[in-house]
Amino acid sequence: RLHTATLALRMFKKQLENGMAGDAEASFRRVLDEFEAIEQQASDRAKPVSRRTTLVVDDDANESELLAGYLRMSGFDVATAADGADALSYLSQNVCPDLMLLDMIMPRIDGPATVRAVRGNPELRSMKVFAISGSTPAKSGVVEGPCGVDRWFRKPLDPEYLVREIAREFGESACRQAT
């Protein structure tokens, strides 16, 4: 579009130099149309992308806040919960997030019990559940799939890899920036 606008401007200039006022006026209208289209395209790109909502559930407050901060800077809306009990309370009082990142070893209600409660609730079936744990699925007794967690990530976690995998899971680009 910019190339077309530049050509139209050069044509406009030549037409004016050669005394072709009527043709120059038509070329100038073309230039304005091209710049309007460029402006519209830029405006469409600047519109915020629908942000994925995520609930980070981890009893280590430092880890939870660091991961939540990284996700926010990567374009996610993030809430946090200190354990499975807090997560279930949050889920009962708020709109279901797109994704829950869940530690498996926590006090009060642990990850496996939280997964069972979530998967047993029809209102939460659309939410993806990703386990983030130092343990393995076999040790936790949690299966991967529709009755368990959708994905399993071992600690220590690479947050860049996690964001790429979330984007892949949702069929999106991982290049989104915070808006």
Side-chain angles (χ1 to χ4, degrees):
R1 292 229 174 245
L2 189 55
H3 178 68
T4 303
T6 300
L7 287 174
L9 273 174
R10 299 223 185 262
M11 176 65 92
F12 170 72
K13 180 182 176 197
K14 268 293 190 209
Q15 289 166 332
L16 284 179
E17 290 171 355
N18 292 319
M20 302 167 65
D23 291 335
E25 187 177 328
S27 292
F28 190 68
R29 273 193 294 261
R30 233 195 243 149
V31 169
L32 292 177
D33 289 344
E34 287 302 320
F35 279 122
E36 189 174 298
I38 290 168
E39 185 177 33
Q40 182 62 46
Q41 217 172 15
S43 173
D44 289 346
R45 286 187 183 143
K47 290 179 183 170
V49 176
S50 174
R51 294 168 60 102
R52 290 281 171 206
T53 56
T54 305
L55 176 61
V56 174
V57 185
D58 196 320
D59 61 318
D60 184 316
N62 189 42
E63 283 185 32
S64 180
E65 283 308 313
L66 286 170
L67 180 56
Y70 189 90
L71 291 169
R72 286 183 188 107
M73 290 179 66
S74 298
F76 293 84
D77 284 328
V78 183
T80 60
D83 59 24
D86 288 345
L88 295 173
S89 175
Y90 175 89
L91 292 169
S92 71
Q93 298 171 23
N94 294 277
V95 174
C96 179
D98 299 307
L99 171 67
M100 178 169 58
L101 300 174
L102 180 65
D103 186 18
M104 288 290 117
I105 302 169
M106 297 179 293
R108 297 195 305 161
I109 299 179
D110 65 5
T114 304
V115 170
R116 285 190 297 278
V118 164
R119 293 306 187 211
N121 184 337
E123 293 177 17
L124 302 175
R125 287 213 177 109
S126 66
M127 180 177 64
K128 293 197 180 285
V129 178
F130 288 3
I132 298 177
S133 181
S135 70
T136 64
K139 285 183 184 177
S140 71
V142 174
V143 297
E144 288 187 69
C147 296
V149 297
D150 295 286
R151 294 286 305 272
W152 192 280
F153 295 87
R154 291 284 310 246
K155 289 182 180 181
L157 179 69
D158 176 350
E160 286 182 32
Y161 176 71
L162 176 66
V163 169
R164 279 195 310 271
E165 291 302 300
I166 292 171
R168 193 170 71 107
E169 192 76 24
F170 285 101
E172 301 169 348
S173 168
C175 300
R176 284 193 320 193
Q177 296 297 314
T179 55

